[in-house]
Amino acid sequence: MSPDLLPSYIQRLNREEVLAGRSFARLEMSRPRPEPVADKDKAAGKAPLVPRYLEFSLIAMDGPGTEKTP
């Protein structure tokens, strides 16, 4: 929900046995698109529902100079 907290979350993930010592080549972050508003709700002046979370994807290094999706 808070993009500024993502780096510390990833650092904590690195302490997990499954991910310990892994290097990451790339981090992709995005916010999901707002939910569409029904025509009747648009007429009532309702705004789209914006998801309260952040989607992210870590791309792991699979050896020198290569990428692998975990």
Side-chain angles (χ1 to χ4, degrees), residues 20-65:
R22 305 251 351 231
S23 295
F24 297 101
R26 188 170 67 231
L27 167 65
E28 297 173 358
M29 298 187 326
S30 64
R31 288 203 183 275
R33 292 180 182 218
E35 303 262 337
V37 178
D39 289 337
K40 67 177 181 154
D41 292 333
K42 280 183 191 176
K46 292 187 179 178
L49 297 174
V50 179
R52 296 183 51 199
Y53 60 90
L54 180 71
E55 295 178 333
F56 70 94
S57 174
L58 287 172
I59 308 300
M61 296 289 290
D62 187 32

Side-chain angles (χ1 to χ4, degrees), residues 1-13 27 29 31 52 54 56:
M1 291 183 359
S2 300
D4 54 318
L5 297 177
L6 190 57
S8 63
Y9 176 71
I10 292 169
Q11 286 175 341
R12 289 192 317 266
L13 279 179
L27 167 65
M29 298 187 326
R31 288 203 183 275
R52 296 183 51 199
L54 180 71
F56 70 94

